[in-house]
């Protein structure tokens, strides 16, 4: 049995996929999502394959959440121009309500990988394992910080979703989607209390249900991911950050924090 290859995070965000490419396991796809914690707007999932020799083209690439909007937009343009292949999948609020956010997220990741222009040899996902992918995969803890292809997917998903939310703001300025992008902030809560939820809110979420009750509103669609519209509680909004387990590859490659 060959010795294990250990990838240490201190070696940079390209080390993991470079090691997989050297072992003949490429192309390596990264997958990530934006909007899992929001109570309005879609969930957006992206997949991306970067060229192994392109690292110098992506200076500053990291988790989209730690980048400013201007830098995210700049990197987005670089990614769509330079990536070997990439895809985005927009999962609307009604699908999140029908499936539940975690199931919708997993299904979106499978769809995003399937839409890539090449078949990946390996898939890196951010934080939790995804069954049913067309290639071997591993969940990388904080993958959007430590794997460049996952960081790229994070940027693609975040920028795509932010642009959707800005468009929704133009149509529904009373909710201030341009400020909070559908996440559960104080100003968003105030808008929900004042106006009630819209069709773009997630009607399986407890705070949306509460606002609907205040305004005596019924859901614009059937909510099948929970027992009933008004049975949702605080516990119904699931934290899907995933496992903190160390990722191990099927070929013996492991990821180390050291």
């Amino acid at each position: 049995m060959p010795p294990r290859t250990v990838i240490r995070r201190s070696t940079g965000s390209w080390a993991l996929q470079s090691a997989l490419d050297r072992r003949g396991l490429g192309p390596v796809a990264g997958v990530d999502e934006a909007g899992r914690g929001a109570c309005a707007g879609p969930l957006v999932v992206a997949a991306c394959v970067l060229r192994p020799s392109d690292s110098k083209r992506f200076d500053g690439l990291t988790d989209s959440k730690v980048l400013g909007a201007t830098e995210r937009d700049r990197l987005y343009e670089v990614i769509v121009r330079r990536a070997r292949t990439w895809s985005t999948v927009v999962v609307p609020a009604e699908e999140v309500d029908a499936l539940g956010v975690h199931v919708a997220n997993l299904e979106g990741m499978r769809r995003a990988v399937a839409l890539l222009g090449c078949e990946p040899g390996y898939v890196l996902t951010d934080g939790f394992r995804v069954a049913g992918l067309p290639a071997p995969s591993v969940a990388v803890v904080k993958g959007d910080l430590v794997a460049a292809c996952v960081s790229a997917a994070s940027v693609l998903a975040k920028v795509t979703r932010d642009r959707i939310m800005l468009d929704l703001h133009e149509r529904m300025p009373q909710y201030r989607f341009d400020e909070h992008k559908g996440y559960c902030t104080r100003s968003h809560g105030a808008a929900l209390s004042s106006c009630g939820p819209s069709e773009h809110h997630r009607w399986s979420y407890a705070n949306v249900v509460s606002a609907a009750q205040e305004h005596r509103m019924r859901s614009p669609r059937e909510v099948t991911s929970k027992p009933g519209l008004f049975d949702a509680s605080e516990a119904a909004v699931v934290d899907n950050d995933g496992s903190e387990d160390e990722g191990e590859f099927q070929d013996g490659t492991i990821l180390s924090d050291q």
Side-chain angles (χ1 to χ4, degrees):
M1 181 177 178
R4 289 182 171 188
T5 302
V6 177
I7 310 300
R8 303 188 186 280
R9 289 197 174 97
S10 60
T11 57
S13 64
W14 288 78
L16 182 55
Q17 62 202 72
S18 295
L20 291 169
D21 278 309
R22 288 197 303 271
R23 294 176 72 94
L25 297 172
V28 181
V31 188
D32 202 5
E33 103 292 322
R36 187 172 59 193
C39 66
L43 178 73
V44 177
V45 184
C48 186
V49 176
L50 298 178
R51 303 175 194 277
S53 60
D54 241 8
S55 61
K56 293 182 179 178
R57 304 271 187 174
F58 292 93
D59 184 47
L61 180 61
T62 186
D63 175 13
S64 65
K65 293 185 291 295
V66 303
L67 296 169
T70 300
E71 183 67 0
R72 278 198 303 267
D73 286 340
R74 182 190 71 81
L75 285 166
Y76 178 92
E77 297 303 327
V78 176
I79 293 164
V80 300
R81 187 172 66 251
R82 296 292 309 181
R84 176 172 175 179
T85 180
W86 60 276
S87 68
T88 56
V89 170
V90 178
V91 183
E94 54 265 32
E95 190 170 338
V96 174
D97 283 337
L99 299 176
V101 67
H102 187 59
V103 174
N105 191 22
L106 296 177
E107 180 59 26
M109 289 183 169
R110 297 183 193 105
R111 287 158 57 188
V113 173
L115 287 171
L116 290 171
C118 67
E119 184 174 340
Y122 224 101
V123 180
L124 304 179
T125 61
D126 181 29
F128 51 85
R129 292 176 175 84
V130 181
L133 293 172
S137 65
V138 69
V140 183
V141 177
K142 299 190 183 301
D144 45 13
L145 285 170
V146 303
C149 56
V150 180
S151 300
S154 171
V155 170
L156 290 170
K158 173 68 173 166
V159 172
T160 298
R161 187 177 188 279
D162 281 359
R163 291 176 179 178
I164 291 171
M165 299 310 293
L166 289 173
D167 180 66
L168 282 180
H169 169 69
E170 294 298 319
R171 294 155 55 189
M172 299 178 170
Q174 67 271 30
Y175 292 106
R176 302 305 304 176
F177 288 137
D178 60 327
E179 294 178 356
H180 51 70
K181 307 300 190 296
Y183 286 90
C184 302
T185 65
R186 184 175 299 177
S187 64
H188 191 185
L192 274 172
S193 295
S194 175
C195 306
S198 72
E199 63 178 314
H200 298 286
H201 282 85
R202 299 177 186 175
W203 286 72
S204 57
Y205 279 46
N207 60 328
V208 177
V209 170
S210 178
Q213 287 177 313
E214 291 178 18
H215 289 265
R216 303 181 64 84
M217 297 170 66
R218 301 295 298 182
S219 174
R221 53 186 170 269
E222 183 180 4
V223 176
T224 55
S225 64
K226 299 288 182 277
L229 175 61
F230 296 130
D231 293 333
S233 65
E234 291 297 331
V237 183
V238 179
D239 178 2
N240 291 307
D241 285 341
S243 170
E244 295 298 320
D245 293 339
E246 186 178 68
E248 181 168 341
F249 297 97
Q250 294 177 5
D251 68 341
T253 303
I254 64 173
L255 178 67
S256 171
D257 281 316
Q258 300 174 9

